Amino acid sequence: MDALATIDIDQCTVLLRRAEPADVPAIVALLAADQLGAVRDGIRDGADLAAYGRAFETIDADSAHLLLVADRGGQVVGTLQLSFLPGLARRGALRAQVEAVRVADEVRGSGLGKAMMSWAIDEARRRGCALVQLTSDKRRTEAHRFYQRLGFAASHEGMKLSLR
Amino acid sequence: MDALATIDIDQCTVLLRRAEPADVPAIVALLAADQLGAVRDGIRDGADLAAYGRAFETIDADSAHLLLVADRGGQVVGTLQLSFLPGLARRGALRAQVEAVRVADEVRGSGLGKAMMSWAIDEARRRGCALVQLTSDKRRTEAHRFYQRLGFAASHEGMKLSLR
């Protein structure tokens, strides 16, 4: 439970730390609480929990991935995944990719999302990445403004092909 | 030099195969020949070649990444990178990400790009991915139509933050 960073939010100290197996249900609850994720995520039974658990193990076993949680007094109030991708483009640059950014409703507007993303950007810089990238559903117009305030440019089309 | 697939293009047989170290200069030439990549890529000296070589080794050492080339009689006429990313979202789904898709000018319009992408989508399906994703610069409107014909939806904003 080593803190990667601590942040003061609404007069509470929030720890940013690497997720642990016991955090999986709380992270899934954040994914499922999201309007666009509600149909796709949630733990209905042991098979779901096992599937999420296997995915957690795959992420956790590889230093190219970091699943982050924001922990306020033992409660998970935010999460994001940071992955480091090698590539030849841009002179063999490593790029950092951010996925599955979620903040609990009760801390929305507190600056937690900004603090989590700022930490992720700094970590990408520490690991020598040339670029941080993410995609955001076109319906999340507030999120786009949030990322643009952090310096992101909406320069690309984010294209998805569902296989299921 | 095991072929992953063979394709007939303009009365020639093109092999799709995993890239090898000796392919790196040809792949970089394809990246640099691209209008938007021209300022970012190219081999000017030994330091550049070494940087691309290190990136190649990182990609090649990890089965989560596959750097593909299209080989026509020993000449690299196309490339793409396919990466497999674990995540908790969508019930712990693996997602396939496509990066750095390039086809040589002389084979443009021959169907090679479509064949490469179709192979990548099939490979994502074989590996159990729930989703294939990519981002494409908003200025590449022809590319967007190409991906849409393959079934991709431009559902997301692709956001980038350059760190250099």
Side-chain angles (χ1 to χ4, degrees):
Chain A
M1 294 268 270
D2 292 342
L4 298 166
T6 61
I7 316 159
D8 289 318
I9 299 286
D10 295 343
Q11 305 188 324
C12 298
T13 300
V14 174
L15 305 183
L16 298 188
R17 61 172 174 79
R18 180 178 278 270
E20 301 186 345
D23 297 318
V24 169
I27 298 169
V28 174
L30 283 180
L31 297 175
D34 178 77
Q35 209 182 346
L36 302 179
V39 294
R40 299 190 299 239
D41 282 296
I43 296 176
R44 298 162 305 186
D45 54 28
D48 283 345
L49 184 59
Y52 285 113
R54 283 191 299 274
F56 175 83
E57 283 170 22
T58 305
I59 297 164
D60 196 50
D62 189 340
S63 63
H65 307 292
L66 171 61
L67 184 59
L68 189 76
V69 292
D71 174 329
R72 188 183 62 183
Q75 191 200 356
V76 172
V77 291
T79 181
L80 64 77
Q81 181 179 326
L82 189 56
S83 293
F84 300 94
L85 303 177
L88 286 195
R90 297 172 186 246
R91 304 192 186 278
L94 197 63
R95 56 181 71 196
Q97 182 155 317
V98 183
E99 294 273 357
V101 182
R102 298 291 186 281
V103 167
D105 280 344
E106 74 237 51
V107 292
R108 203 171 290 274
S110 68
L112 176 60
K114 185 183 174 191
M116 283 168 42
M117 282 297 302
S118 298
W119 184 86
I121 293 165
D122 288 345
E123 179 68 8
R125 208 175 264 119
R126 283 189 289 271
R127 295 223 201 178
C129 295
L131 191 76
V132 185
Q133 64 183 18
L134 59 87
T135 65
S136 179
D137 192 296
K138 285 188 175 170
R139 291 168 288 180
R140 301 191 200 268
T141 50
E142 261 189 71
H144 307 158
R145 285 191 291 272
F146 165 75
Y147 292 122
Q148 281 165 330
R149 284 195 298 272
L150 287 164
F152 284 84
S155 55
H156 285 60
E157 291 289 341
M159 311 201 74
K160 311 272 175 176
L161 170 64
S162 183
L163 299 182
R164 281 184 195 160
Chain B
M1 294 267 271
D2 291 343
L4 299 166
T6 61
I7 316 158
D8 289 318
I9 297 287
D10 295 344
Q11 306 187 326
C12 298
T13 299
V14 174
L15 306 182
L16 298 189
R17 61 172 174 79
R18 180 178 278 271
E20 301 187 344
D23 297 319
V24 169
I27 298 169
V28 174
L30 282 180
L31 297 174
D34 177 77
Q35 209 183 346
L36 302 178
V39 294
R40 300 190 298 239
D41 282 296
I43 297 176
R44 298 163 305 188
D45 53 28
D48 283 344
L49 184 59
Y52 285 113
R54 283 192 299 273
F56 175 83
E57 283 170 22
T58 305
I59 297 164
D60 195 50
D62 189 341
S63 63
H65 307 292
L66 171 60
L67 184 59
L68 188 76
V69 292
D71 175 329
R72 187 183 64 182
Q75 190 199 356
V76 172
V77 291
T79 181
L80 65 74
Q81 182 179 327
L82 189 56
S83 293
F84 300 93
L85 302 178
L88 287 194
R90 298 171 185 246
R91 304 192 187 280
L94 197 63
R95 57 181 71 197
Q97 182 157 315
V98 183
E99 294 272 357
V101 183
R102 297 292 186 281
V103 166
D105 280 342
E106 73 236 51
V107 292
R108 203 170 288 275
S110 68
L112 176 62
K114 185 183 174 192
M116 283 167 41
M117 282 298 301
S118 298
W119 184 87
I121 292 165
D122 288 345
E123 178 69 7
R125 208 175 263 118
R126 284 189 288 272
R127 295 222 201 179
C129 295
L131 190 76
V132 185
Q133 64 183 18
L134 60 86
T135 65
S136 178
D137 193 296
K138 285 188 176 170
R139 290 168 288 180
R140 300 191 201 267
T141 50
E142 261 189 72
H144 308 156
R145 285 191 292 271
F146 165 75
Y147 292 122
Q148 282 165 330
R149 284 195 299 272
L150 286 164
F152 285 84
S155 56
H156 284 60
E157 291 288 342
M159 312 201 74
K160 311 273 174 174
L161 171 63
S162 182
L163 298 181
R164 279 182 195 161

